Amino acid sequence: MRADIPSPRKITGWIMRPGETLRDQHQERLLEVRLACPDITRACDLARAFTDLVRNRRGPFLLDWIRQAEKDAPRPMSGSAGFLRQDLDAVAAGLTLHWSSGIVEGHVNRVKTPKRQLVINRLVNVEEKARVRSQ
C-alpha cells in the first residue's frame, strides 16, 4: 500500500506543471490526492492561482490572493502569504512592471570575474610556494 502513495516531490511537480502538460495518469493521480486531502486541494488551487499571477503579471490581484491564502491555505502557505503582505508594494511591483536587472548583473559579473581569477591565481601560487618549501 505505501508504495502506491506518491512522494511530496511528485505531487508538487504535478501541481506546478500546467494541467495540459500532465499525462493522463498523472492528472488522475493528482485528482486522487486532491480528493483524499483537502489541504492539498486548497494548496493546489492557491499555488496555481499564484503561478498565474506571476506568469501573467497580474500584480493588482495580489492582495486578493493574499487574503484568500491567509483565510483558506494550509499553515505554511498562509504564513508565506503573510510575508508577502509585509512588502506588498514591492511584490506587487515585481508582478506588474516589466523590469529586469539582467544587464546590471552582466556588468557586475564582467567586473568581478577578473578579480576572482586574480584571487584564485594568488591562492594557487601561495599553495605552490608552500609545497616547494615543504619538499
Side-chain angles (χ1 to χ4, degrees):
M1 274 285 201
R2 180 81 178 140
D4 199 24
I5 298 173
S7 70
R9 180 176 287 218
K10 279 187 180 181
I11 294 170
T12 302
W14 297 337
I15 290 171
M16 297 311 298
R17 200 168 294 125
E20 62 273 5
T21 65
L22 280 177
R23 292 189 213 152
D24 290 340
Q25 67 187 35
H26 293 155
Q27 285 180 355
E28 291 171 13
R29 292 300 311 261
L30 180 58
L31 181 59
E32 291 171 7
V33 170
R34 288 176 58 123
L35 292 172
C37 182
D39 279 349
I40 290 179
T41 299
R42 289 191 297 276
C44 180
D45 293 341
L46 286 165
R48 286 183 171 173
F50 188 77
T51 301
D52 180 64
L53 290 176
V54 172
R55 287 185 179 152
N56 297 304
R57 297 197 176 275
R58 295 185 178 168
F61 299 104
L62 177 63
L63 187 57
D64 294 336
W65 183 89
I66 290 172
R67 286 183 186 130
Q68 188 69 34
E70 288 175 335
K71 186 176 103 180
D72 291 337
R75 189 173 201 130
M77 192 177 246
S78 64
S80 297
F83 284 117
L84 291 176
R85 181 186 287 278
Q86 290 177 3
D87 206 4
L88 183 62
D89 292 337
V91 177
L95 293 177
T96 305
L97 303 175
H98 293 276
W99 183 83
S100 171
S101 63
I103 294 173
V104 173
E105 291 297 323
H107 289 304
V108 169
N109 284 332
R110 183 176 49 82
V111 169
K112 285 186 175 183
T113 299
K115 290 180 181 180
R116 286 186 195 121
Q117 193 61 48
L118 284 173
V119 170
I120 290 169
N121 289 341
R122 287 181 184 156
L123 289 173
V124 168
N125 287 338
V126 168
E127 288 177 6
E128 286 177 2
K129 287 179 185 177
R131 192 170 15 121
V132 168
R133 285 184 197 150
S134 68
Q135 290 178 353

